[in-house]
Amino acid sequence: MHNFRRPRGILFIYSSFVAISSALVLGGMISSPSEAERAVAFGLSAPRLAIAFSLLAAFVLFAWLAFKALAADEAWVERFVETWFGGQRPSQWIGWFSGISFGLSWIGSFLPAYRLGAWAGYGERIQPVLVFILVASLATLLFLFLEKAKSLNFPALLWGWLLFVICLMLLAIMFYSGFGILSPREDFWYGAGVPILASQIFAATLGGLLLLQFGSTWTSKRVDIWICILIFAVTAFFWARAPLHRSFLFTGPYPPNGALYPFADSANFDIASQSALIGQKLFGFNTLFFERPLYLSFLVYLHALFGQDYTLLMAVQAGLFAIFPVLIYLIARSLNVRSVGLASAIVILLRGINSISASNLIDTAGPKMILTDFPTAIGVALITLLTCEWLKEPERKNHYPIWIGGGIGLTLMLRTNALILLAMIPIFSLFAFGAKWRQWVLSSLMILLGTIAITLPWEIRNQLLGGQMYGPIVTKFQNVIQQRYPSSPEPNSLSPQGHPFASFSLKSIEMIAALYQDSGGQRDLPCNTVPCFSTNHFLHNALTSTLIFPTSPFLDDLRYLIKDRHAYWQINWDGSLHGAAPLFLTLNLFLITTGIARVWKEKRIIGLTPLAIFVAYNMSNALARTSGGRYLVPADWILILYYLLGVFHVITWGANMLGISWNIFATDPETKRPIRQEFVSRVLGAGAVLLMLGSLLPLSETLHLPRYQGLDPQETLAENRSLIERAGMKLPELETFLQNPDAELLIGRALYPRFYKMNQGEFQGAFYPYHTLGFPRTAFRLIGPAGERSVVLPGDVPEYLPHAGDVLVLGCRGANYFDALLVIVLDGNGAVYPRQPKAPLQCPLPQPVCDNNSVCH
């Protein structure tokens, strides 16, 4: 009787498996013959016949090897296994060949036919051999793994295995109960983040491996400088060139100008910056005291330098935002994983392109959107980088906390979520300082000082205008609590009025257990206690951040992946996983937890800094009752870093098995320099720089003189008497019309003019003046001395109405929009547009009534 202990048994199983696989694939080919006119022998065409003979040769070879594994003596088997799979040079070549074959055959086997186009027929013919190569190479890699399994250091990653098991159990509970997955029938709950394609993971990993192989001897700082410049230049090039798509936030193009203009929140941000361009104060969402002034000021400078073409503006913005992947690389460099950093930067580059392309498919924020989420991601990355650098050498870099505070202040002026980092980073850093509590207290105070230094100029501006310093932040929190927290908290609920510990009640636990039991996939019971809804949103944030990684072996394109392959990006996703998705989701979770454990083993508390920031930021989202979609953008990139750490750990372990000396954690080339006694001067210098940077925000309001100062609308109306008469109206009649209490004459800048046909518009609802109405009209936003108005002018499409042009508007104040009677363009071109059809000169103006042929009266 044969002894099937290693290596005889493993060689027999391996050879038999490959031989049987080749036989099955060969049998499948013969059972599906080619077209009769192309058949050469056995019903197969010449190319397929060649493939069949190759499969037959593989069957004979591996069947013979299986026989030898049984019939040969033990010494021969051991010599064979040791030579070809035991670590000698032939085994290294087999490992390389199998790995490359596995990757290429994966691409060939799982590249969908719709991506091959005219080559789809050829792909179908070679599919059998690709499947065989995929299976055989995977079996070979597994054989090599089993032979080297004794070299695995499982205890070294014990915490990774433990974390993986815990996360897997939590994931199973979530999918079983629906908690954190199914929509809770409330606002601000969205789907998964911007996906990363499997092909993009392959490309980024290859780039990182090239750096790992050839960059191990690069110790000069100049190398990192050149890598950063290269990352920035390539990212800026591709992001700037990516076309701006029509989406919810950029609607159009519409007559009269045929351009894409910002809409909804994007329009609100842009209008605030446009206000400064006409010499008025910045305002956000109809208030002078807005808690996100940094991006508004950025838009002011952008408009001042590059004008009003949004295609150009967003290209410039995307080019500037290309600093983001550079920061990701530097974070990884701070952790001494430069190869992972390069791979992460490549993923961020490609994912940025995805976010631009998917702007009309999913809810997200990208480098070509007028939103604060993407610049917030840059701010969070800057904070993460500074914190990692500080905790590496807290004594030599003892002035870094003030820069960290400056980063928090900048990010705070983009989204108030960053306020949680002002508390989290000092608490987290306590683990690094240990008994050095005096130094920790001083560092924590410096973080607070840096935050105040950069925000102080804007807060002084608020106070000078009659507001309160830091009042907008307080108001933001009050609004969130009023709008998103239960108005009548139950007893024992954690609310602004409740006791913090009373909410962790049996009732809350029972509510969580009873969630999502109805057949429609929605919850039966409300989740209105703070522990319930915040946990629900936090888990949803964590899951949707994980679902950005591939969960299918197929190499789909972006649109097919989002629209047809999976439903993760839908708000009403029912939590179902199809095909190989459960396996890949488990694999992705394993890679993330392995990356966390690996960096913990090497860097301890410093390696967990990005993870702590990820958790803290998503806690702030959860407490604000927001999750998924664009709310993930500021922090979900952190999982990319840990994911690729896990990928590179697995790859380098496999390479080490084959005798390739790869180590993703390089030795820090920097020598320990002496601590300089320049603490006070550095802190004072940093504080001065932060104050100057913060002063750029109120400065943006002073770049332009008041545009309409000294202009009287009625005098301007009289000066255009000839245009009025050409439009069929008489000046005295209009002056009489202005005596009506609801009549008004406005002068200002017309923004985003859009013409709509009858029964056309953006939405039924509150998006005035672009909502659907039953008559043709031109709609635009008007800003000027009278504030911001939504204007609707019934009539045909105007021949000339420029965006950001000066106009005079006469009409009636309405409940939802300003109903225009007359619009005059004040740039000397003689453009004047009266209301059509004509209406009696009284307020309110009667709404036009149109027939099916769009003839209105």
Side-chain angles (χ1 to χ4, degrees), residues 19 96 126 150 208 234 329-330 350 359 422 538 827:
W96 275 106
I126 65 171
K150 57 187 177 182
V234 173
Y329 172 79
L330 292 175
L350 298 173
S359 60
L422 190 59
F538 180 83
D827 61 359

Side-chain angles (χ1 to χ4, degrees), residues 172-476:
I173 294 172
M174 290 172 61
F175 275 96
Y176 177 76
S177 66
F179 190 69
I181 298 177
L182 301 183
S183 173
R185 292 177 181 168
E186 63 181 53
D187 295 332
F188 310 107
W189 176 286
Y190 297 97
V194 178
I196 307 169
L197 304 181
S199 56
Q200 294 172 339
I201 294 290
F202 288 149
T205 303
L206 179 60
L209 290 177
L210 290 175
L211 181 61
L212 187 64
Q213 174 65 25
F214 300 107
S216 58
T217 59
W218 299 348
T219 57
S220 173
K221 286 186 177 180
R222 292 182 179 179
V223 173
D224 286 313
I225 293 174
W226 283 111
I227 290 176
C228 290
I229 292 174
L230 179 63
I231 292 172
F232 179 82
V234 173
T235 304
F237 176 79
F238 283 106
W239 284 5
R241 284 177 57 87
L244 185 65
H245 292 283
R246 175 179 179 174
S247 65
F248 175 72
L249 296 173
F250 268 104
T251 57
Y254 291 109
N257 301 322
L260 291 173
Y261 291 134
F263 183 70
D265 284 358
S266 291
N268 290 328
F269 286 121
D270 190 62
I271 288 172
S273 69
Q274 297 277 359
S275 178
L277 297 177
I278 59 173
Q280 298 181 179
K281 296 297 181 183
L282 287 169
F283 67 93
F285 293 87
N286 297 318
T287 176
L288 286 173
F289 311 111
F290 189 49
E291 82 281 357
R292 307 183 199 176
L294 177 59
Y295 188 60
L296 305 186
S297 299
F298 171 79
L299 288 175
V300 172
Y301 291 112
L302 205 62
H303 278 295
L305 293 172
F306 299 99
Q308 296 287 347
D309 183 345
Y310 287 94
T311 300
L312 174 62
L313 288 171
M314 291 301 97
V316 174
Q317 173 179 283
L320 295 174
F321 286 174
I323 193 64
F324 184 37
V326 176
L327 293 174
I328 306 303
Y329 172 79
L330 292 175
I331 292 170
R333 178 186 177 276
S334 182
L335 300 175
N336 292 341
V337 283
R338 292 162 69 235
S339 57
V340 175
L342 180 60
S344 300
I346 295 173
V347 169
I348 295 297
L349 186 164
L350 298 173
R351 191 171 182 236
I353 298 174
N354 292 351
S355 68
I356 297 171
S357 300
S359 60
N360 58 354
L361 300 175
I362 60 177
D363 178 84
T364 186
K368 282 195 168 183
M369 292 185 180
I370 303 180
L371 291 173
T372 58
D373 305 85
F374 197 85
T376 300
I378 298 174
V380 172
L382 177 63
I383 296 167
T384 305
L385 172 62
L386 292 171
T387 305
C388 289
E389 286 293 311
W390 170 47
L391 294 181
K392 281 175 68 175
E393 299 177 278
E395 294 184 357
R396 188 170 70 84
K397 297 180 178 179
N398 53 6
H399 63 292
Y400 267 49
I402 194 168
W403 290 113
I404 294 171
I408 293 175
L410 281 173
T411 311
L412 180 62
M413 291 189 289
L414 289 168
R415 292 195 73 87
T416 51
N417 304 68
L419 192 62
I420 198 171
L421 301 180
L422 190 59
M424 186 283 297
I425 291 177
I427 294 173
F428 180 78
S429 64
L430 184 60
F431 295 98
F433 279 91
K436 301 177 182 178
W437 64 271
R438 288 186 179 86
Q439 186 179 352
W440 173 79
V441 170
L442 178 61
S443 298
S444 300
L445 291 175
M446 287 170 57
I447 293 175
L448 178 61
L449 176 63
T451 304
I452 294 174
I454 202 164
T455 56
L456 187 61
W458 181 257
E459 298 304 327
I460 292 176
R461 172 263 193 195
N462 288 342
Q463 189 177 47
L464 293 175
L465 292 176
Q468 294 182 349
M469 294 183 67
Y470 299 101
I473 297 176
V474 176
T475 302
K476 178 66 175 181

Side-chain angles (χ1 to χ4, degrees), residues 745-763:
L745 183 63
L746 304 174
I747 190 170
R749 172 168 285 186
L751 302 175
Y752 327 130
R754 298 177 173 97
F755 173 80
Y756 296 102
K757 296 180 181 179
M758 183 181 71
N759 296 325
Q760 288 187 352
E762 299 304 332
F763 293 93

